Amino acid sequence: ELQLVESGGGSVQAGGSLRLSCTASGFTFDDSDMGWYRQAPGNECELVSSISMYGVTYYTDSVKGRFTISRDNAKNSVYLLMHSLKPEDTAVYYCAAPQFRVDWCNYWAQGTQVTVSS
């Protein structure tokens, strides 16, 4: 059974930082790409960042230079370190694996809330 347990969300002021964590089970973590999606009210589900099994990373343009994704295969975990947070980063963040899909936010529906106040 696929399990992705997200943690680390919260409320911060603009310019602050948060670190999201996701611990995974139910599939072969080392062989899987991992990602983070987010969805704000009224917005579409967006792939924010991903990291391949080889460590190749992707970031959506709006978070480049501010967010860093990493993984620890020994702990079956993926992290999203978010700096210089902006109010527009406010959303529910979802860990994703092993197969990404455009409707991940509705498909998984177990995320962690990030709220950035101005």
Side-chain angles (χ1 to χ4, degrees):
E1 178 187 359
L2 176 64
Q3 291 195 8
L4 301 168
V5 180
E6 299 105 334
S7 63
S11 297
V12 296
Q13 290 190 329
S17 299
L18 284 173
R19 183 186 187 232
L20 304 184
S21 301
C22 171
T23 302
S25 61
F27 61 98
T28 306
F29 186 89
D30 293 12
D31 295 340
S32 298
D33 297 346
M34 300 295 298
W36 288 94
Y37 283 81
R38 69 183 178 186
Q39 187 168 32
N43 288 7
E44 294 184 352
C45 185
E46 173 188 33
L47 178 62
V48 177
S49 181
S50 66
I51 183 166
S52 76
M53 56 185 290
Y54 305 107
V56 178
T57 58
Y58 160 83
Y59 299 96
T60 193
D61 285 346
S62 62
V63 308
K64 286 180 180 176
R66 301 188 296 120
F67 290 12
T68 303
I69 192 170
S70 61
R71 63 189 295 160
D72 185 340
N73 289 350
K75 296 182 178 180
N76 277 18
S77 294
V78 63
Y79 309 97
L80 188 66
L81 181 58
M82 306 183 293
H83 290 307
S84 302
L85 282 162
K86 304 175 180 180
E88 51 264 43
D89 295 318
T90 296
V92 179
Y93 284 70
Y94 302 88
C95 180
Q99 299 290 336
F100 299 169
R101 43 192 292 170
V102 294
D103 65 340
W104 185 265
C105 303
N106 289 330
Y107 170 76
W108 188 244
Q110 300 174 38
T112 186
Q113 177 72 45
V114 171
T115 302
V116 185
S117 57
S118 58

